Amino acid sequence: MRSLRERVADTKWRRRLAARRTLNHSYRVAVGIVGGLVVALGLATIPLPGPGWLTVIAGLFVLASEFTWAERLLEFTKRHVKRWTDWVSAQRLWVRLLIAAATAAFVYGVLVVTLHLTGVPDWVPGWVPLWR
């Protein structure tokens, strides 16, 4: 099975870019910047509600299209996410509910601390039970 990087490298448009050294270098730098920004955004949003880890994995996919190290890191991440998912799936219902409750409590705590530090935005309606 060919890697993502190899499949991208074999496309016609990518071979044309690779033929021109300056263009190839600029493209790889752009992929590194965009992928790095997506990964950084994902890492910053992991404790918040939303797709934090999914964003990190998407950024690794972008980076893995050009860089071998990112491809290895993506495989490592996918392997460990699968192990975690398999482990949680094998647990009893009360353990899964406890994990879900702990996750929800953590997200709620991050949200409360964030609102405490930054203040409640003005666009939040007055009936929402938050302090001002």
Side-chain angles (χ1 to χ4, degrees):
M1 179 179 226
R2 293 177 352 153
S3 70
L4 173 65
R5 189 179 46 78
E6 292 169 337
R7 287 180 294 185
V8 169
D10 283 344
T11 60
K12 185 177 179 180
W13 66 270
R14 188 62 187 98
R15 284 194 307 268
R16 281 190 301 185
L17 281 179
R20 301 176 78 185
R21 185 176 176 163
T22 306
L23 206 54
N24 186 49
H25 182 71
S26 300
Y27 175 77
R28 287 177 57 87
V29 167
V31 167
I33 290 170
V34 170
L37 288 173
V38 173
V39 169
L41 177 69
L43 289 172
T45 59
I46 284 173
L48 301 174
W53 280 111
L54 188 62
T55 308
V56 170
I57 291 171
L60 286 176
F61 266 111
V62 171
L63 291 168
S65 70
E66 283 298 314
F67 304 105
T68 305
W69 62 266
E71 201 166 20
R72 286 192 303 262
L73 184 57
L74 179 62
E75 289 303 317
F76 173 84
T77 303
K78 288 182 349 187
R79 188 170 56 250
H80 281 78
V81 166
K82 181 169 175 21
R83 279 183 54 204
W84 168 255
T85 304
D86 292 345
W87 181 83
V88 170
S89 299
Q91 300 308 306
R92 292 181 179 211
L93 179 62
W94 69 269
V95 174
R96 292 192 307 243
L97 290 174
L98 187 63
I99 291 169
T103 302
F106 178 75
V107 168
Y108 178 75
V110 168
L111 183 63
V112 167
V113 168
T114 301
L115 289 174
H116 182 69
L117 293 175
T118 63
V120 178
D122 292 334
W123 53 264
V124 175
W127 55 265
V128 175
L130 299 170
W131 68 92
R132 288 236 180 237

